[in-house]
Amino acid sequence: MTEKNTPKQIAIFGSAFNPPSLGHLSVIQRLSHFDRVLLVPNFAHAWGKKMADFGKRCEWVEAFINDASLDSLELCSDEKDIAGGEAVTTWALLNHLQNQYPNSELTFVLGPDNFLSFAKFHNSAEIMARWNILACPETVNVRSTHIRECLIAEGDVSSLTTPTLARRLTKKDFD
């Protein structure tokens, strides 16, 4: 990538994306002022939450990105490379991405629930000193939990996520 094509402002939106929801989309749509928005599925959850297979969640994020039709969106599956089988801290992820984009300004995007507990994040003070933090609540109250519960009850999830993803998701994804 040449310096001319290097994005100057990059938003990093990490989530389980288990699966991506319209709540996620409502956050992402408000990040259009960034040159690039990296959607980063968690390789392993920091607090031990059970998630669908990482590769499957990356495929879901790709379908979600295609449906969202926003040019700035990009899947970033780098946590798999950083992880070594463990959960990746925000500190480790941001350092990794800053090395990937040394001339870009990074902004870590998180929901207000995580922002309120941000002091518990590994090296939280150092993160705030080095990078931008943006608390961005969803404007559509749909969470991944709603999708999983609906699928388990064999319901229709078309009003909870994007069209391609709604067609792909099955109850078996969460057994």
Side-chain angles (χ1 to χ4, degrees):
M1 180 178 296
T2 65
E3 179 63 32
K4 183 178 174 185
N5 295 328
T6 301
K8 300 298 178 214
Q9 300 284 326
I10 301 175
I12 293 95
F13 184 33
S15 177
F17 294 112
N18 190 41
S21 70
L22 292 182
H24 290 117
L25 184 60
S26 73
V27 171
I28 293 163
Q29 289 172 328
R30 293 189 329 234
L31 303 176
S32 62
H33 58 287
F34 288 94
D35 299 315
R36 183 167 299 155
V37 177
L38 301 179
L39 303 185
V40 185
N42 305 129
F43 182 74
H45 200 273
W47 294 293
K49 181 166 105 176
K50 185 177 182 268
M51 299 182 292
D53 174 73
F54 180 74
K56 184 175 281 194
R57 289 183 291 115
C58 287
E59 290 173 14
W60 293 342
V61 170
E62 286 284 6
F64 183 77
I65 288 170
N66 288 335
D67 282 348
S69 298
L70 300 170
D71 292 337
S72 62
L73 293 183
E74 182 179 314
L75 168 66
C76 175
S77 59
D78 289 12
E79 279 204 14
K80 182 178 181 180
D81 301 327
I82 304 168
E86 301 293 321
V88 176
T89 65
T90 300
W91 172 256
L93 175 65
L94 290 173
N95 273 294
H96 170 81
L97 291 173
Q98 193 68 75
N99 287 333
Q100 299 292 314
Y101 302 99
N103 299 315
S104 297
E105 186 174 331
L106 305 183
T107 299
F108 184 68
V109 179
L110 70 170
D113 51 341
N114 281 325
F115 186 72
L116 292 175
S117 62
F118 191 73
K120 296 178 185 177
F121 280 46
H122 176 69
N123 289 344
S124 61
E126 292 89 344
I127 291 170
M128 291 182 72
R130 187 166 174 200
W131 295 288
N132 300 314
I133 306 297
L134 176 63
C136 195
E138 71 272 354
T139 57
V140 175
N141 187 21
V142 175
R143 298 190 173 252
S144 300
T145 303
H146 301 140
I147 297 171
R148 292 191 307 270
E149 289 170 350
C150 188
L151 287 167
I152 289 167
E154 299 184 8
D156 176 20
V157 296
S158 62
S159 66
L160 305 175
T161 190
T162 62
T164 302
L165 200 48
R167 288 189 301 272
R168 283 189 184 180
L169 294 171
T170 68
K171 179 180 178 178
K172 290 180 188 176
D173 291 323
F174 304 100
D175 287 342

